[in-house]
Amino acid sequence: DAGVIQSPRHEVTEMGQEVTLRCKPISGHDYLFWYRQTMMRGLELLIYFNNNVPIDDSGMPEDRFSAKMPNASFSTLKIQPSEPRDSAVYFCASSSLAVNTEAFFGQGTRLTVV
Amino acid sequence: AQSVSQHNHHVILSEAASLELGCNYSYGGTVNLFWYVQYPGQHLQLLLKYFSGDPLVKGIKGFEAEFIKSKFSFNLRKPSVQWSDTAEYFCAVTPNYGQNFVFGPGTRLSVLP
């Protein structure tokens, strides 16, 4: 397996624009996590899914953020409209409860909102 | 709710010094414990994990951690650090009935050559 795949790796956008981040988890994993990492706030859990269903979205900062998982192999994190304070590295991770694994992280998307 | 604390925000050591990074968690049930490392500009990678059995866990690159249930601790150790160990280290916990990983705030390790 190629691991958790995120796209794009880098995104630069203007304030007010819509941004969509994508994630393909490891095949067979039933948990998917979205994290945001900044210097100021460290690593924050935004939302996680189990079997494509959102379980806990309490970390989503505000209504401008939304996440979907339409199937077991794809998830998106959308920010609309984007603001400069959303600039961060966004990581996607997946894991499997059935085989009791750790969380495997993708390479991350570095988002810059100007 | 679960939480994870890490004792040090930034640790600076010289090469060959011994390392111990503290990690404590708050959760009353059975947990799985992890240490991750993040090298500059990279993603988080697993160093070691504890699910059950021997509380002394050995991981990659000479790292080990000891689970002390009575202290709710899972401290990371390495007898002799190298410059290449410069990175940020994260402790994480998840209850063994679920997978809501909770990460600590991280400890930045700087190893001076």
Side-chain angles (χ1 to χ4, degrees), chain B residues 8-83:
Chain B
N8 309 96
H9 178 64
H10 189 191
V11 173
I12 303 174
L13 295 172
S14 298
E15 274 194 315
S18 64
L19 170 72
E20 181 159 1
L21 302 182
C23 171
N24 286 91
Y25 65 93
S26 64
Y27 182 70
T30 304
V31 295
N32 301 321
L33 297 154
F34 309 84
W35 274 99
Y36 283 81
V37 61
Q38 185 178 29
Y39 298 104
Q42 296 191 25
H43 63 294
L44 277 75
Q45 303 168 53
L46 184 73
L47 266 182
L48 48 80
K49 58 187 177 184
Y50 172 81
F51 288 126
S52 63
D54 189 343
L56 185 61
V57 180
K58 295 193 183 300
I60 61 172
K61 303 187 180 186
F63 286 91
E64 65 178 31
E66 185 175 12
F67 171 48
I68 303 179
K69 189 174 181 179
S70 61
K71 295 184 178 181
F72 298 89
S73 71
F74 190 55
N75 292 355
L76 181 71
R77 299 195 291 253
K78 185 172 184 178
S80 176
V81 296
Q82 301 172 313
W83 176 78

Side-chain angles (χ1 to χ4, degrees), chain A residues 5-12 19-23 90 107-111:
Chain A
I5 300 173
Q6 291 186 246
S7 64
R9 291 291 308 276
H10 301 273
E11 176 82 34
V12 180
V19 175
T20 299
L21 311 181
R22 297 172 175 81
C23 175
Y90 291 81
Q107 297 285 333
T109 295
R110 181 174 294 277
L111 173 65

Side-chain angles (χ1 to χ4, degrees), chain A residues 33 37 95 100 102-103 106, chain B residues 36 38 43 46 49 51 99-100:
Chain A
F33 308 84
Q37 188 176 38
S95 69
N100 217 12
E102 64 272 24
Chain B
Y36 283 81
Q38 185 178 29
H43 63 294
L46 184 73
K49 58 187 177 184
F51 288 126
Q99 297 261 286
N100 53 322

